[in-house]
Amino acid sequence: MSRTLLVGTGSEVALNAATTVDNATVVRVWNSHASDTQTVSVAKSTTAGYASTATVTLPADRIEFFEKGAQDIISASVSTVVGFKVGFTG
């Protein structure tokens, strides 16, 4: 059974503005909205900017873990979707 390791400092951040979440490679994302599905996007970092954006929907009151490159950015459709830098332990 893997466990979540909190590797960031501070509090969860609203993902309505694109961020690397302190260069995280794993981000714990929570859609804290009580009833609405929201979207979460990850854009790959390239030498020319960002490309290959992938977008998924996240149901209300749901937690998911997103793996991404350290320089990739993650964003969400609203501020009720928050993220935190994490890792996994054995």
Side-chain angles (χ1 to χ4, degrees):
M1 180 172 125
S2 69
R3 298 175 301 217
T4 304
L5 174 67
L6 301 178
V7 294
T9 58
S11 302
E12 294 170 316
V13 296
L15 296 178
N16 60 318
T19 177
T20 66
V21 189
D22 196 25
N23 297 318
T25 56
V26 181
V27 180
R28 177 191 177 270
V29 177
W30 175 39
N31 177 6
S32 64
H33 198 280
S35 61
D36 290 342
T37 296
Q38 305 298 339
T39 59
V40 177
S41 300
V42 175
K44 296 286 183 191
S45 175
T46 69
T47 56
Y50 292 95
S52 303
T53 301
T55 301
V56 298
T57 56
L58 188 61
D61 198 28
R62 179 76 174 255
I63 295 172
E64 291 292 338
F65 295 86
F66 289 81
E67 290 187 59
K68 64 178 202 58
Q71 298 302 312
D72 297 347
I73 55 174
I74 187 168
S75 61
S77 51
V78 295
S79 62
T80 57
V81 178
V82 295
F84 194 79
K85 182 178 182 176
V86 297
F88 293 114
T89 63

